[in-house]
Amino acid sequence: MSEHNVYVLPGDGIGAEVMGPAVAVMQAAADQVGCAVNVTQGLVGGVAIDATGSPLPEETLAAAQQADAVLLGGVGGPKWDDLPMDARPERGLLGLRQALGLFANLRPALLFGPLAQASSLKTELVADLDILIIRELTGGIYFGEPRGIEMRDNERVGFNTLVYSEHEIERIARVGFELAQKRNGRLCSVDKANVLDSSQLWREVVSNLADDYPDVELSHMYVDNAGMQLVREPKQFDVIVTGNMFGDILSDVAAMLTGSLGMLPSASLAASGVGLYEPVHGTAPDIAGEDKANPLATILSVAMMYRYSLDQPAAADAIERAVAQVLDAGYRTLDIQGNEAVQSDQLVGTKAMADLVLEHL
Ligand code: IPM
Ligand code: MG
């Protein structure tokens, strides 16, 4: 029997709340396909600051490096908002991405049929929507040096650096081309090449790779236009590849098209080694602890983990099928209720939603 070691980092807010139910689904899927998943748990983000003083304790990083996959809930919350930049909970997540070399962030925006009415767009614009956003995750303005806040001419200035080297652009672009090959063969590279030098290089490097993938239709789009096109006619996209900050923004936009941020999973992959899986939603401090959070983004992240890191596609399929069945049966958490008249016994909380997925597994 194959055995997998999964390191679980619940983190803060609803991230921590959805983790227990998601781990239960993970174990049930393992039983079903006949593999074993050993779970260990650690601290990251605000809870790690409270317990150890650091958002990314050394033992957390060491354990993550040893694991086959990491499942993370979310980090951050108002309690830690006043901390200096380098001490904030978010640094824990950014530090993990960087230390584990997780340069490729896959954020699918897939609409489950019954949720079309929960989308902020008209049903016909989003029916059958299936986009994959590939976000570069370890470079760009998130990590560029120099950065800081300093005195210049008697006032404070804040600055960051948007920097991409050719090899960073090439490796994320290749992920884009390869995944486009497995999907509908269309890749749209998003940049701001009309203004930014780093984007000019980005566009040149991506274009130069196109000959290696004659079966992929490559296009380029400026990021402002891409934001507009995502809410105008989202189905024109198949795979989008873009830099760290543009991807952060566009993936939230794409998420909303599918009805709720509460539905979207993500995978962060390295060239080799451990992968990290997390819901795209944050820690939602406003509803944390109230059994209102939608656990499906984390449960679907578990499915991605089975597919991309643990090589158990049957477990991934089983989880995704169970989620689709629960939605087909009419069950909703608050965030995906939309304008529907949901029967009161079908409007469920975090635990009940996860239990329904377990039942359907
Ligand atoms: C995300 C989040 C993170 C990011 C934060 C929490 C650091 O918004 O994963 O999209 O900006 O990358
Ligand atoms: Mg974000």
Side-chain angles (χ1 to χ4, degrees):
M1 180 160 74
S2 56
E3 277 200 32
H4 309 286
N5 296 313
V6 174
Y7 188 47
V8 169
L9 293 169
D12 308 315
I14 63 165
E17 206 176 339
V18 295
M19 194 52 82
V23 168
V25 170
M26 177 168 78
Q27 295 289 14
D31 291 346
Q32 211 176 66
V33 300
C35 69
V37 175
N38 308 317
V39 174
T40 48
Q41 190 165 315
L43 296 173
V44 74
V47 286
I49 294 172
D50 289 350
T52 72
S54 160
L56 181 57
E58 266 166 40
E59 63 252 48
T60 296
L61 183 55
Q65 275 158 339
Q66 297 300 313
D68 296 318
V70 178
L71 184 65
L72 187 142
V75 296
K79 181 175 177 194
W80 306 281
D81 272 350
D82 295 329
L83 291 173
M85 194 57 83
D86 287 329
R88 290 174 62 101
E90 288 81 355
R91 282 287 136 193
L93 178 56
L94 297 173
L96 266 178
R97 288 172 179 171
Q98 197 174 37
L100 300 176
L102 304 169
F103 72 93
N105 184 214
L106 277 41
R107 298 191 161 184
L110 180 76
L111 184 92
F112 285 87
L115 297 189
Q117 53 70 41
S119 170
S120 44
L121 293 193
K122 295 189 199 81
T123 306
E124 64 269 26
L125 288 179
V126 293
D128 301 318
L129 183 76
D130 181 359
I131 302 176
L132 176 63
I133 295 187
I134 301 171
R135 168 188 177 194
E136 199 289 327
L137 203 59
T138 52
I141 199 164
Y142 269 55
F143 294 98
E145 299 283 349
R147 65 182 177 92
I149 300 175
E150 66 183 31
M151 290 300 288
R152 289 183 198 167
D153 297 329
N154 290 321
E155 66 171 346
R156 291 185 305 155
V157 293
F159 52 96
N160 291 86
T161 302
L162 172 42
V163 51
Y164 271 118
S165 61
E166 289 180 292
H167 84 272
E168 287 176 306
I169 302 167
E170 176 171 341
R171 67 181 179 178
I172 192 71
R174 287 198 186 278
V175 173
F177 280 110
E178 280 159 25
L179 289 173
Q181 280 178 325
K182 293 188 184 148
R183 291 172 45 103
N184 295 319
R186 284 180 294 119
L187 178 66
C188 179
S189 170
V190 171
D191 62 38
K192 188 72 186 172
N194 51 343
V195 176
L196 302 175
D197 301 277
S198 63
S199 276
Q200 228 171 54
L201 181 70
W202 177 284
R203 191 173 280 220
E204 192 187 309
V205 171
V206 174
S207 299
N208 287 343
L209 295 173
D211 283 350
D212 292 354
Y213 306 90
D215 48 342
V216 174
E217 185 193 313
L218 173 67
S219 62
H220 301 275
M221 203 179 272
Y222 298 138
V223 63
D224 47 351
N225 186 27
M228 196 253 282
Q229 296 300 335
L230 271 174
V231 295
R232 193 185 76 91
E233 202 198 327
K235 282 191 262 182
Q236 70 187 280
F237 296 108
D238 177 20
V239 180
I240 291 176
V241 66
T242 189
N244 205 341
M245 187 161 71
F246 298 158
D248 179 45
I249 298 166
L250 294 180
S251 61
D252 269 25
V253 175
M256 205 54 223
L257 304 179
T258 69
S260 168
L261 210 48
M263 290 300 301
L264 287 207
S266 78
S268 303
L269 307 175
S272 64
V274 61
L276 182 140
Y277 299 83
E278 54 174 327
V280 173
H281 65 67
T283 54
D286 52 323
I287 58 161
E290 296 181 16
D291 194 46
K292 284 183 183 162
N294 184 348
L296 295 179
T298 310
I299 288 171
L300 291 168
S301 299
V302 170
M304 288 188 92
M305 185 180 83
Y306 273 122
R307 183 167 291 123
Y308 291 106
S309 279
L310 307 185
D311 199 21
Q312 298 284 356
D317 291 343
I319 292 172
E320 286 163 359
R321 206 166 35 233
V323 168
Q325 285 169 358
V326 170
L327 295 172
D328 280 338
Y331 294 100
R332 303 284 183 269
T333 44
L334 265 180
D335 57 307
I336 50 177
Q337 184 185 6
N339 304 322
E340 255 179 325
V342 179
Q343 289 170 30
S344 60
D345 61 337
Q346 291 196 315
L347 188 60
V348 297
T350 308
K351 289 197 193 75
M353 183 54 108
D355 285 344
L356 284 160
V357 175
L358 282 174
E359 267 168 42
H360 283 81
L361 254 179

